[in-house]
Amino acid sequence: MERKNGKIVEANNSPSRKVWRRFRHNKLAFSGLLFIITLMLMGILGYTITPDQTPNANTMYLQLTNKKPGRTFDFLIVSRNKNIAKVNIFEKMLYGQEADFKSIPITSYRESEGKVYARAYIGDDEQAEESSYPLISGNNHYRQTFWLGTDLYGRDLLSRLILGIRVSLSVGLMAVLISLFIGVSLGALAGYFGGKIDAAISWFMNVIWSLPSLLLVIAISFALGKGFWQIFIAVGLSTWVDVGRLVRGQIMALKEVEFVEAAKALGYSTPRTIIKHILPNIAGPILVVASANFASAILLETGLSFWVLEPSLQCLAGVE
C-alpha cells in the first residue's frame, strides 16, 4: 500500500514493475535505451533525413575525397534529367530517390548573357579555369555541408552512416532471433532430457564453440552466397551456442524443483512444461545473453564486410 494525493492505494509491486523502476533510475542504462531508440528512428526514417537521398547515398564527387567534417561546398547544377520518376514518401524512405540532376563542386559562380560562368573545385590549393555552362531554369546552384566529411570517393559519410544503421540493427535483430530459436530449442532438449540426447547436443555445441566465430561466419556466407538474408543466417548460426549452453544449465537446475514436478503430476505435456513453466523462469539470463549477442552480431557483420572488401585478406584465403 502507498499514499497518493492523500489517498491510500494498492502499490503495483509486480516483478516487471520493479525491474522498470530500477532501470529507470539507472541514468546510464536509461540513456543507452534512449540512444538505441534514437538510432532505430533514424534507421526507419532512412533516406528522408539523409543529406544525400540517392539510393545507397552513392553520389560521388572525386574532387571532394576525404574531406574533414564540417566542410561546406557550393555546387552548380549542369544538367537535369526529366525522365527520372518521382517516388512517394514511403518508397523514398525505404529505397531513396534517384537524382534528376548532375552537379559539380565550384569555387565561384556568375551569370552573364544567358550562361553561367563558374570555376570548378579541384583542390584547396589549386584554382581551375573559368568555364561556361548553360543556364538552367530554376535554382541551378546550391550549398551542402558534409557534417561528417567525405569518404575515399567523395560520398557523404553522414548519409551512409544513417543508412548503415539499418543494416547493423537488422543484422543484430535477425541474428539474435535465429540464435534464440536454435539455442533455446537445443538447450532445452539437452537440459530437460539429459542422457544420450544431452551428450549428442553437448558434443555438437562444443564443436561449434571451438570454431572462431568470424571464420565460421565467412564459411557459412560462402556456402549460402551473397545477400542480406544469407548474412542474417550466417551470423545467427554462429552465435547460438552461448544461448544453448545457458539454457541447458538453467533447465538442468530447474527441472527437479517442485513446480516442474507438479506440472508432471498434473499430466502436462513436455513442451508445455518447458515453454510455459520453465522458460519464463529463466527469461532474465536469456535476455542478458541475447543483448550481448546483439552487439556481437553487429561486430561480426562488420568484420565480414571488411573481409569481403579487403582484397589482401581474400588472397590469403585463396579466393580469386
Side-chain angles (χ1 to χ4, degrees), residues 62-65 67 71 73 105-107 119-128:
L62 297 181
Q63 307 94 320
L64 306 181
T65 297
K67 294 302 178 183
R71 291 290 299 273
F73 295 92
I106 59 174
T107 57
R119 296 180 188 270
Y121 175 86
I122 58 176
D124 292 332
D125 301 325
E126 300 181 32
Q127 189 168 356

Side-chain angles (χ1 to χ4, degrees), residues 2-317:
E2 61 182 12
R3 183 179 297 273
K4 289 185 178 180
N5 299 326
K7 297 181 179 179
I8 297 177
V9 297
E10 184 176 355
N12 187 348
N13 291 319
S14 62
S16 59
R17 180 59 64 89
K18 291 180 179 178
V19 171
W20 171 246
R21 285 202 200 100
R22 293 181 61 185
F23 181 81
R24 187 177 57 188
H25 288 93
N26 189 327
K27 294 182 179 180
L28 289 177
F30 194 72
S31 300
L33 176 63
L34 294 179
F35 179 71
I36 293 175
I37 292 176
T38 302
L39 291 182
M40 292 179 63
L41 290 176
M42 293 174 64
I44 293 173
L45 294 175
Y47 290 97
T48 59
I49 61 174
T50 56
D52 184 359
Q53 298 182 347
T54 58
N56 297 321
N58 204 33
T59 303
M60 301 182 186
Y61 299 103
L62 297 181
Q63 307 94 320
L64 306 181
T65 297
N66 293 331
K67 294 302 178 183
K68 295 181 180 180
R71 291 290 299 273
T72 300
F73 295 92
D74 293 317
F75 292 86
L76 173 67
I77 298 176
V78 296
S79 64
R80 289 189 181 274
N81 186 354
K82 297 182 179 180
N83 296 324
I84 300 297
K86 296 292 183 180
V87 299
N88 59 50
I89 185 65
F90 296 105
E91 291 183 8
K92 182 178 181 180
M93 182 174 65
L94 294 175
Y95 307 111
Q97 169 68 63
E98 271 194 69
D100 60 354
F101 62 87
K102 181 181 179 181
S103 62
I104 60 172
I106 59 174
T107 57
S108 64
Y109 167 89
R110 66 184 179 89
E111 296 181 11
S112 177
E113 300 179 353
K115 289 187 177 182
V116 175
Y117 295 88
R119 296 180 188 270
Y121 175 86
I122 58 176
D124 292 332
D125 301 325
E126 300 181 32
Q127 189 168 356
E129 295 291 334
E130 191 174 62
S131 303
S132 63
Y133 302 92
L135 182 63
I136 299 176
S137 60
N139 185 18
N140 60 352
H141 68 284
Y142 63 94
R143 178 171 293 182
Q144 180 177 347
T145 300
F146 297 89
W147 296 107
L148 293 182
T150 59
D151 65 3
L152 182 63
Y153 301 101
R155 298 174 293 190
D156 181 47
L157 282 178
L158 176 60
S159 301
R160 296 179 67 79
L161 179 65
I162 292 174
L163 297 179
I165 292 173
R166 287 182 173 181
V167 179
S168 296
L169 292 182
S170 299
V171 169
L173 178 61
M174 296 304 299
V176 165
L177 292 179
I178 293 173
S179 66
L180 283 178
F181 177 77
I182 299 175
V184 170
S185 300
L186 294 182
L189 291 175
Y192 190 83
F193 291 104
K196 294 183 179 180
I197 295 178
D198 181 26
I201 295 177
S202 297
W203 174 85
F204 181 61
M205 287 193 292
N206 289 332
V207 171
I208 302 298
W209 183 273
S210 65
L211 299 175
S213 298
L214 183 57
L215 295 181
L216 181 61
V217 171
I218 292 173
I220 297 175
S221 298
F222 273 122
L224 298 178
K226 297 180 180 180
F228 279 114
W229 283 104
Q230 287 83 343
I231 294 176
F232 297 159
I233 296 173
V235 177
L237 291 177
S238 64
T239 57
W240 64 269
V241 178
D242 292 337
V243 181
R245 291 167 65 94
L246 173 71
V247 171
R248 172 182 174 273
Q250 293 289 321
I251 288 184
M252 289 181 67
L254 288 178
K255 67 180 183 180
E256 303 297 338
V257 298
E258 290 80 359
F259 67 88
V260 177
E261 295 294 335
K264 294 179 181 178
L266 291 173
Y268 292 158
S269 63
T270 298
R272 176 173 177 174
T273 302
I274 296 175
I275 295 173
K276 289 192 174 183
H277 299 283
I278 298 180
L279 290 183
N281 286 279
I282 60 174
I286 293 176
L287 291 177
V288 172
V289 174
S291 301
N293 283 347
F294 187 91
S296 299
I298 294 176
L299 292 176
L300 282 174
E301 179 266 332
T302 305
L304 181 63
S305 300
F306 177 78
W307 188 89
V308 171
L309 295 174
E310 181 59 41
S312 61
L313 292 178
Q314 296 183 359
C315 292
L316 290 175

